[in-house]
C-alpha cells in the first residue's frame, strides 16, 4: 500500500526527487523561517464572515516546501490518519508542479482543501515532523501546503476527475453525507459500484456545511468536492432519512446490496441544570445550523437567530470556538468562553483559541455554570457560575475540575450557547433492530473492515467514534469502502 | 423538489395542499409530520401530515397562515414545486382499542387531529370529537370529521356556530355524560394546557401533540425541546405526542414566543414586498 516502507523508498529514489534534494543544501533548508499564514486583521474579520486565513502565495509555498528535508524515514506520515505521502506532495510543490502535488494528495485524501483548513495538524503530521522531533524548531507547515495545493488545483479550474472503473451494475447506499460518507462514496464509485448518498438535511456535506462556519471553511470548498463526486457518477438524495423516509428493508428490496452508515454524532448534550430551557439558550448545533445552513443573519433569508449582546458559550472544543466567534461576528459586545478546566486542557485547536483571543473573545476558564435566570419574558438574563480548581487527573488523563466553595457569582448574559459535546445520532440504531451498539450509543464495528453486526451494513465516522475529526471520519469511510468491496466479492454479488 | 398537486382554501386563513411525495405517502403513520422549505431562502417549517394516499403517492397538509413562511406557501399553486420536503418525522400515535376516545381540536389543531381520529376509528374505538374555533368561518374539516367520528360537537367562542363556549366546556359535557377512556388534545398551547387540566381533574389519560419551534426535525439541534415530567425532551424525535398531564405548557408557551419580534418584522417586510 501507499504507506509501506519499500514503496516510499522507491518513490524517494526517483531521479527528480534526488535532484531536488541536491539542489539546496540541508543546512540552508533548516535555516529558513516557517511561513506565516497571511490572515485578515482581527478587528476587521470579527465583523465579517470571510475566511480568516488568506492562503499563502506560490513563492511562499515553494520556500516552505524547501524547508522539508525529504527525510529517509518520513515520520510525518505516521502522524497522518490516512497516510498521505507527505514528502512527495511537498516536493512536487518545491518543483513547481502544484497540480501534481494536488494529485498526490488525492491518492489518499478525497477532501484536501477541507483537511488543509480544519485538520489539527499540530497534533498529527506536524507534531511528528523532524524539525519538531529533533531540532526543536517549528514544523514544516504541512497543513498550509496541503491547502495551497488543493486551492491551486481548484482555482486553476482544471480539477482532475479521478478515473472510475467500469460499472458493475451493483447498487450500494451511503447514509449521511458528512466527510465519512463522501469519502466512502468516492471510493465505491471508483471501484465501479452504483452509489447513492442519502442525506436527511436539504444540503449535502454534514458538519462541513451545517457546523463549521464560513470563516473557517467556505462552503464552496465542499461544493467543489461534491460536484466532483457527482461527475464521477455519485447520486445524491437530499431530504431522505434512512429509517424514516424508507426503511433499510425497503431499500434492500429495491436492490441495494450493502450500505455505509456515516450518520454522525448529531445529538446535542445539555447540562440539565435549572433554567436551561429559557429563551436565548441554544445548543451549538442549533446556533451554528441557523447561521451556517439556514443563512440566518444573511439578508433575504427567512430563518431568524437571536443576536445577543452578552453571549456566553459553554465548553472548550472546536464547536465552542466556532460558536463564540460566530457570536462575535453577529455583533456581540461580550463574547465569552466559559470552560470548567484551564486553557491547557482545552480540546480546541490551538490556532482556533489563538484566533478567538485575537478577535476579542473573553475566556473565563475554570468556571462552570450552575443555573440560568430569566426575565419576565422568559429570556435568559443572568447565569450563576462557580469557580473551579484543578485537582487530580481523571480517567481521561486531564486534571479534574473541583468546585471552589463559596465562589459563585452572577454573570449578565442574554444568549447562551451550550457546546459540551454531542451523542451519536440514534435514528439508525432505533430503525435497525439487532444492530449492536455500545453503551454510549456508538455502533460496534470490526476495526479492520468497519463491518457492523449486520453483515451488509458498514459504518464509520462519528457514529462509530462518538465525535472525532474530519480526517478520521474520512479514513473510516475509505476503510469501510474497501471492507464492503471485499465482502461483496466474497458473497459473489 | 416536490410538486404541488392541488390547493384549496378551507377558510380565509386555512388552506389544504396535496403534494407529491410517494415515499412519505407509503411510510407515514398517524401522528407523523414533515418539514418543508418553500424556496431556497426559506425556513424549515414542520407541518403535520393530515392525510395520505399511497396509491397516488401524495400527502395532504392543512396549513394556517400565521406568518411569512406559511403565507409564502399559500401563494404557491398546483403545478408549482417546493424546494424541499422531508419526512415522515416524529413518533407515530399510539393507537389501540381502548373504548371511548375524546378527541379535542382547537383552531388549526383540528388538522393534525384528523388522522388520529381516523386511526382510532379503524382500531375499533368509539370516537367523540369536540371541535373549537373562534368563529364559524375559522372552523375547518367539520364534514370530514363527521364522516369518521361517532359524534362531533362544535364550539365557537362567539356562538356563531354550534354551541357558544370554549373547547373545555364541550369536553366536560361529554365526560359528565359517559365514561371516557382516553383523550387527545391538539391545538394552541393555551388550549392544550386548559384541556389537559380538565382531563386531569377526571383522571383521564390524555395525549397532547406539541407544535414547538423546530429547525432540523431529526434530533440534531434541540430547538424543539420541552420539559415533560421534569425531563428535557426533543419534540421532533421523542414526540410530537406526550402525556399531556406531564408537559410543562407554560415553558412551551414561553419558548414559542422566542422569535416573536423577528417574526413580526419578517412578516411585515414580506407583506410590504407583496404590495410593491
Ligand atoms: C462546529 C464543529 C466544528 C468542528 N471542527 C473540526 C475541525 O476543525 N477539525 C476536525 O477535524 N473536525 C472538526 N469537527 C468534527 C468533524 O466535523 C466530525 O468529526 C465529522 O464531520 C464527522 O463526520 P461524519 O461523516 O461521521 O458525520 P457528519 O459530518 O456528522 O455527517 C452525518 C450526516 O448524516 C446525516 N444523517 C444522519 N442520520 C441520517 C439518516 N438516517 N439518513 C440520512 N442521513 C442521515 C446527517 O444529517 C449529517 O448530515 C467539528 C465539528 C463541529 C460540529
Ligand atoms: S428540531 Fe432540531 S432537535 Fe428537534
Amino acid at each position: 500500500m501507499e504507506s509501506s516502507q519499500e514503496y516510499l523508498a522507491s518513490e524517494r529514489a526517483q531521479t527528480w526527487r534526488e535532484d531536488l534534494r541536491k539542489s539546496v543544501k540541508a543546512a540552508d533548508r533548516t535555516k529558513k523561517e516557517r511561513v506565516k499564514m497571511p490572515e485578515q486583521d482581527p478587528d476587521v474579520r470579527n465583523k465579517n464572515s470571510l475566511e480568516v486565513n488568506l492562503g499563502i502565495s506560490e513563492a511562499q509555498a515553494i520556500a516552505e516546501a524547501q524547508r522539508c528535508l525529504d527525510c529517509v524515514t518520513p515520520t510525518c506520515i505516521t502522524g497522518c490518519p490516512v497516510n498521505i505521502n507527505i514528502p512527495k506532495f511537498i516536493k512536487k510543490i518545491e518543483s513547481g508542479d502544484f497540480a501534481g502535488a494536488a494529485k498526490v494528495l488525492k491518492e489518499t485524501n478525497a477532501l484536501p482543501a477541507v483537511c488543509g483548513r480544519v485538520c489539527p495538524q499540530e497534533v498529527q503530521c506536524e507534531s511528528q515532523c523532524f524539525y519538531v522531533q529533533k531540532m526543536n524548531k517549528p514544523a514544516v507547515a504541512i497543513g498550509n501546503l496541503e491547502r495551497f495545493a488543493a486551492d491551486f488545483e481548484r482555482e486553476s479550474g482544471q480539477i482532475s476527475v479521478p478515473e472510475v472503473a467500469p460499472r458493475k451494475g451493483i447498487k450500494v447506499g451511503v447514509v449521511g453525507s458528512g466527510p465519512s460518507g463522501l469519502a466512502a462514496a468516492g471510493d465505491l464509485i471508483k471501484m465501479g459500484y452504483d452509489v447513492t448518498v442519502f442525506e436527511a438535511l436539504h444540503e449535502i456535506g454534514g458538519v462541513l456545511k451545517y457546523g463549521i462556519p464560513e470563516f473557517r471553511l467556505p462552503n464552496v470548498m465542499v461544493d467543489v468536492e461534491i460536484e466532483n463526486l457527482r461527475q464521477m457518477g455519485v447520486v445524491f438524495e437530499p431530504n431522505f432519512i434512512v429509517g424514516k423516509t424508507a426503511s433499510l428493508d425497503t431499500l434492500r428490496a429495491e436492490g441495494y446490496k450493502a450500505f455505509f452508515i456515516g450518520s454522525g454524532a448529531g445529538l446535542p448534550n445539555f447540562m440539565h441544570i435549572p433554567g436551561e430551557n429559557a429563551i436565548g439558550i441554544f445548543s451549538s448545533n442549533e446556533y451554528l445550523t441557523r447561521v451556517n445552513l439556514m443563512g440566518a443573519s444573511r439578508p433575504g433569508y427567512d430563518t431568524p437567530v437571536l443576536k445577543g449582546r452578552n453571549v456566553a458559550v459553554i465548553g472548550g472544543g472546536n464547536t465552542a470556538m466556532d460558536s463564540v466567534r460566530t457570536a462575535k461576528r453577529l455583533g456581540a459586545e461580550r463574547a465569552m468562553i466559559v470552560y470548567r478546566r484551564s486553557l491547557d486542557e482545552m480540546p480546541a485547536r490551538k490556532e482556533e483559541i489563538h484566533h478567538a483571543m485575537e478577535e476579542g473573545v473573553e475566556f473565563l476558564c475554570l468556571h462552570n455554570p450552575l443555573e440560568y435566570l430569566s426575565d419576565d419574558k422568559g429570556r435568559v438574563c443572568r447565569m450563576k457560575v462557580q469557580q473551579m480548581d484543578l485537582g487530580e487527573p481523571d480517567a481521561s488523563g486531564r486534571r479534574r475540575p473541583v468546585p471552589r466553595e463559596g465562589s459563585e457569582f452572577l454573570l449578565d448574559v442574554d444568549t447562551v450557547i451550550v457546546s459540551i459535546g454531542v451523542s451519536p445520532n440514534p435514528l439508525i440504531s432505533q430503525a435497525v433492530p439487532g444492530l449492536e451498539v455500545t453503551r454510549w450509543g456508538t455502533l460496534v464495528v470490526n476495526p479492520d473492515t468497519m463491518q457492523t453486526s449486520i453483515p451488509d451494513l458498514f459504518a464509520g465516522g462519528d457514529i462509530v467514534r462518538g465525535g472525532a475529526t474530519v480526517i478520521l471520519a474520512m479514513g473510516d469511510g475509505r476503510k469501510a469502502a474497501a471492507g464492503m468491496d471485499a465482502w461483496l466479492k466474497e458473497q459473489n454479488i | 423538489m416536490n410538486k404541488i398537486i392541488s390547493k384549496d382554501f378551507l377558510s380565509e386563513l386555512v388552506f389544504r395542499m396535496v403534494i407529491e411525495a410517494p415515499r412519505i405517502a407509503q411510510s407515514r403513520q398517524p401522528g407523523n409530520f414533515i418539514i418543508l422549505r418553500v424556496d431556497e431562502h426559506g425556513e424549515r417549517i414542520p407541518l403535520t401530515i393530515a392525510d395520505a394516499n399511497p396509491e397516488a403517492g401524495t400527502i395532504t397538509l392543512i396549513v394556517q397562515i400565521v406568518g411569512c413562511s406559511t403565507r409564502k406557501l399559500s401563494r404557491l399553486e398546483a403545478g408549482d414545486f417546493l424546494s424541499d420536503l422531508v419526512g415522515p418525522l416524529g413518533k407515530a400515535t399510539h393507537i389501540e382499542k381502548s373504548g371511548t376516545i375524546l378527541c379535542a381540536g382547537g383552531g388549526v389543531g383540528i388538522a393534525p387531529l384528523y388522522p388520529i381520529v381516523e386511526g382510532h376509528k379503524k382500531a375499533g374505538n368509539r370516537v367523540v370529537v369536540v371541535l373549537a374555533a373562534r368563529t364559524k368561518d375559522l372552523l375547518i374539516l367539520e364534514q370530514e370529521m363527521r364522516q369518521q367520528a361517532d359524534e362531533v360537537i362544535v364550539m365557537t367562542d362567539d356562538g356563531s356556530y354550534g354551541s357558544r363556549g370554549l373547547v373545555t366546556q364541550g369536553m366536560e359535557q361529554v365526560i359528565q355524560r359517559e365514561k371516557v377512556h382516553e383523550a387527545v388534545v391538539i391545538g394552541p398551547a393555551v388550549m392544550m394546557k386548559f384541556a389537559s387540566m380538565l382531563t386531569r381533574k377526571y383522571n383521564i389519560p390524555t395525549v397532547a401533540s406539541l407544535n414547538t419551534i423546530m429547525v432540523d426535525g431529526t434530533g440534531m439541534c434541540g430547538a424543539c425541546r420541552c420539559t415533560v415530567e421534569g425531563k428535557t425532551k426533543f419534540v421532533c424525535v421523542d414526540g410530537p405526542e406526550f402525556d399531556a398531564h406531564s408537559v410543562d405548557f407554560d415553558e412551551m408557551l414561553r419558548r414559542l414566543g422566542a422569535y416573536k419580534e423577528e417574526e413580526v418584522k419578517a412578516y411585515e417586510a414580506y407583506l410590504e414586498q407583496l404590495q410593491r
Side-chain angles (χ1 to χ4, degrees):
Chain A
M1 279 295 292
E2 292 93 334
S3 62
S4 77
Q5 295 300 325
E6 304 92 74
Y7 169 78
L8 289 175
S10 74
E11 288 266 331
R12 186 175 180 274
Q14 286 178 5
T15 335
W16 71 273
R17 290 269 287 270
E18 264 178 31
D19 292 348
L20 211 53
R21 275 198 297 279
K22 284 185 205 137
S23 67
V24 183
K25 278 210 225 77
D28 291 336
R29 291 181 186 274
T30 55
K31 262 188 227 139
K32 290 176 187 281
E33 293 278 323
R34 176 175 157 128
V35 65
K36 244 190 96 60
M37 171 62 82
E39 295 167 354
Q40 272 196 76
D41 184 80
D43 263 339
V44 175
R45 70 181 191 234
N46 65 12
K47 296 170 193 74
N48 68 38
S49 64
L50 302 175
E51 213 179 345
V52 170
N53 290 344
L54 300 170
I56 55 177
S57 67
E58 293 186 8
Q60 282 177 309
I62 291 176
E64 183 63 25
Q66 282 175 346
R67 288 184 71 223
C68 169
L69 297 169
D70 200 3
C71 305
V72 184
T73 32
T75 41
C76 49
I77 299 182
T78 61
C80 173
V82 297
N83 296 323
I84 291 178
N85 191 342
I86 295 169
K88 183 173 173 191
F89 102 80
I90 293 184
K91 291 301 124 180
K92 286 275 181 193
I93 293 179
E94 185 179 340
S95 72
D97 180 7
F98 305 141
K103 221 168 165 181
V104 175
L105 287 166
K106 285 207 170 156
E107 283 168 15
T108 41
N109 182 344
L111 309 169
V114 174
C115 290
R117 287 173 165 80
V118 305
C119 266
Q121 291 99 6
E122 66 279 5
V123 295
Q124 298 180 358
C125 52
E126 292 184 15
S127 74
Q128 302 303 314
C129 174
F130 185 79
Y131 279 76
V132 174
Q133 293 288 324
K134 295 276 149 50
M135 293 194 303
N136 202 19
K137 280 189 173 180
V140 173
I142 303 172
N144 293 347
L145 290 173
E146 178 179 28
R147 171 188 160 146
F148 168 81
D151 285 359
F152 175 86
E153 186 192 39
R154 190 185 59 256
E155 282 156 16
S156 73
Q158 290 165 350
I159 297 190
S160 59
V161 177
E163 275 182 37
V164 298
R167 307 287 80 202
K168 296 174 192 279
I170 299 172
K171 287 204 314 194
V172 296
V174 170
V175 182
S177 66
S180 69
L182 294 179
D187 277 11
L188 289 165
I189 197 86
K190 278 191 221 162
M191 293 169 184
Y193 294 99
D194 291 336
V195 185
T196 305
V197 176
F198 301 100
E199 169 54 54
L201 294 172
H202 59 265
E203 278 270 2
I204 303 299
V207 170
L208 305 180
K209 279 285 179 60
Y210 76 72
I212 305 181
E214 199 65 12
F215 59 82
R216 213 149 66 76
L217 177 66
N219 279 346
V220 343
M221 306 297 153
V222 189
D223 287 332
V224 165
E225 307 297 348
I226 292 166
E227 190 45 43
N228 212 358
L229 289 171
R230 215 175 249 133
Q231 284 189 21
M232 288 159 70
V234 175
V235 175
F236 290 98
E237 283 243 28
N239 299 313
F240 194 119
I241 306 178
V242 174
K244 294 258 177 201
T245 309
S247 67
L248 278 176
D249 278 342
T250 304
L251 293 173
R252 284 180 182 125
E254 288 174 16
Y256 288 88
K257 299 295 181 211
F259 298 87
F260 171 75
I261 298 173
S263 51
L267 205 72
N269 296 338
F270 284 93
M271 291 177 69
H272 304 290
I273 56 177
E276 206 175 26
N277 290 347
I279 298 172
I281 304 184
F282 304 92
S283 73
S284 49
N285 268 4
E286 179 183 354
Y287 190 71
L288 292 172
T289 298
R290 283 180 181 274
V291 177
N292 298 334
L293 182 73
M294 304 307 299
S297 88
R298 261 182 279 163
Y301 285 78
D302 296 342
T303 304
V305 65
L306 294 177
K307 296 180 186 167
R309 280 176 51 193
N310 293 316
V311 184
V313 175
I314 318 300
N318 283 324
T319 316
M321 293 308 140
D322 285 344
S323 301
V324 80
R325 296 172 72 196
T326 298
K328 191 78 197 171
R329 281 162 174 75
L330 294 187
E333 284 165 24
R334 285 188 84 182
M336 299 168 270
I337 285 283
V338 177
Y339 179 57
R340 65 199 182 114
R341 305 185 201 237
S342 79
L343 213 49
D344 288 336
E345 285 85 22
M346 264 194 196
R349 293 184 58 197
K350 291 284 166 290
E351 181 182 32
E352 310 311 330
I353 297 172
H354 173 70
H355 277 160
M357 285 179 169
E358 282 183 341
E359 286 163 14
V361 169
E362 294 170 51
F363 282 70
L364 274 78
C365 291
L366 293 166
H367 282 75
N368 198 34
L370 294 177
E371 180 180 357
Y372 300 102
L373 310 173
S374 40
D375 64 16
D376 52 1
K377 293 203 187 81
R379 171 110 184 220
V380 63
C381 61
R382 264 186 226 126
M383 65 190 263
K384 192 194 264 182
V385 282
Q386 182 171 45
Q387 295 186 39
M388 311 293 277
D389 290 306
L390 285 183
E392 295 299 309
D394 63 10
S396 74
R398 294 183 299 178
R399 293 177 64 192
R400 189 196 307 272
V402 225
R404 189 185 300 169
E405 288 305 321
S407 65
E408 298 88 356
F409 65 97
L410 289 173
L411 189 66
D412 283 339
V413 289
D414 54 19
T415 303
V416 174
I417 300 159
V418 182
S419 187
I420 55 162
V422 283
S423 301
N425 189 321
L427 280 171
I428 287 289
S429 49
Q430 281 170 4
V432 186
L435 190 60
E436 197 184 333
V437 296
T438 66
R439 67 188 159 103
W440 297 280
T442 51
L443 303 188
V444 176
V445 295
N446 172 335
D448 297 324
T449 60
M450 307 309 276
Q451 192 171 30
T452 67
S453 60
I454 295 181
D456 65 345
L457 302 186
F458 295 74
D462 285 0
I463 187 68
V464 167
R465 296 171 180 272
T469 58
V470 171
I471 189 76
L472 286 169
M474 279 183 29
D476 285 356
R478 301 201 63 207
K479 205 194 265 181
M484 187 190 289
D485 180 47
W487 180 78
L488 285 167
K489 283 179 178 150
E490 247 173 58
Q491 309 296 305
N492 287 322
I493 291 174
Chain B
M1 298 285 265
N2 299 71
K3 190 170 171 185
I4 295 166
I5 303 298
S6 69
K7 178 190 79 176
D8 61 316
F9 276 87
L10 302 180
S11 77
E12 195 188 333
L13 287 179
V14 179
F15 59 97
R16 168 166 44 201
M17 208 170 233
V18 178
I19 301 169
E20 206 170 69
R23 294 222 185 242
I24 302 175
Q26 281 289 341
S27 50
R28 75 100 201 192
Q29 288 176 291
N32 286 152
F33 63 98
I34 54 94
I35 282 191
L36 64 78
R37 274 202 326 159
V38 176
D39 57 41
E40 281 298 307
H41 292 167
E43 294 179 90
R44 293 171 63 96
I45 51 171
L47 296 163
T48 305
I49 305 171
D51 206 350
N53 182 339
E55 287 79 45
T58 59
I59 59 168
T60 304
L61 306 177
I62 292 176
V63 189
Q64 179 166 10
I65 300 174
V66 291
C68 189
S69 298
T70 44
R71 169 77 64 180
K72 269 191 186 172
L73 183 62
S74 76
R75 293 171 60 85
L76 297 182
E77 299 296 342
D80 289 343
F81 285 83
L82 295 174
S83 176
D84 300 281
L85 177 76
V86 65
L89 301 166
K91 292 206 168 117
T93 309
H94 178 76
I95 292 178
E96 58 179 17
K97 185 164 162 52
S98 52
T100 297
I101 317 286
L102 176 58
C103 292
V108 79
I110 294 171
L113 193 62
Y114 179 74
I116 296 173
V117 168
E118 200 183 5
H120 274 298
K121 252 342 267 186
K122 269 196 199 133
N125 289 314
R126 170 178 158 76
V127 181
V128 181
V129 173
V130 179
L131 302 179
R134 273 210 317 279
T135 182
K136 179 172 191 242
D137 290 344
L138 294 177
L139 184 71
I140 56 166
L141 297 182
E142 187 199 344
Q143 286 321 312
E144 286 84 347
M145 287 289 192
R146 284 198 191 281
Q147 276 167 23
Q148 295 289 343
D150 293 278
E151 186 184 346
V152 175
I153 296 167
V154 175
M155 309 293 298
T156 49
D157 289 6
D158 61 359
S160 53
Y161 187 61
S163 312
R164 184 196 183 107
L166 299 170
V167 72
T168 39
Q169 291 167 299
M171 290 171 72
E172 196 152 21
Q173 188 189 316
V174 179
I175 294 168
Q176 285 175 348
R177 173 187 84 188
E178 61 182 296
K179 167 84 185 149
V180 172
H181 296 89
E182 197 190 315
V184 181
V185 297
I186 310 184
V190 194
M191 171 241 158
M192 291 194 281
K193 177 182 166 179
F194 285 100
S196 68
M197 276 162 63
L198 175 79
T199 58
R200 192 201 320 237
K201 194 169 87 185
Y202 291 99
N203 271 322
I204 300 168
T206 302
V207 165
S209 177
L210 309 188
N211 54 337
T212 51
I213 292 174
M214 293 190 186
V215 182
D216 59 299
T218 64
M220 180 198 82
C221 76
C224 61
R225 65 196 194 275
C226 67
T227 303
V228 181
E229 234 179 319
K231 291 207 184 78
T232 295
K233 297 279 177 190
F234 288 7
V235 173
C236 68
V237 284
D238 300 324
E241 288 165 21
F242 293 97
D243 167 17
H245 298 155
S246 309
V247 173
D248 183 345
F249 283 108
D250 292 331
E251 177 190 274
M252 177 180 160
L253 266 165
R254 276 196 303 273
R255 288 185 60 82
L256 278 171
Y259 291 96
K260 268 272 149 57
E261 254 173 63
E262 284 80 1
E263 277 161 15
V264 171
K265 262 191 241 154
Y267 197 26
E268 280 168 358
Y270 178 66
L271 291 179
E272 210 169 276
Q273 183 196 329
L274 287 183
Q275 277 154 13
R276 252 189 268 132

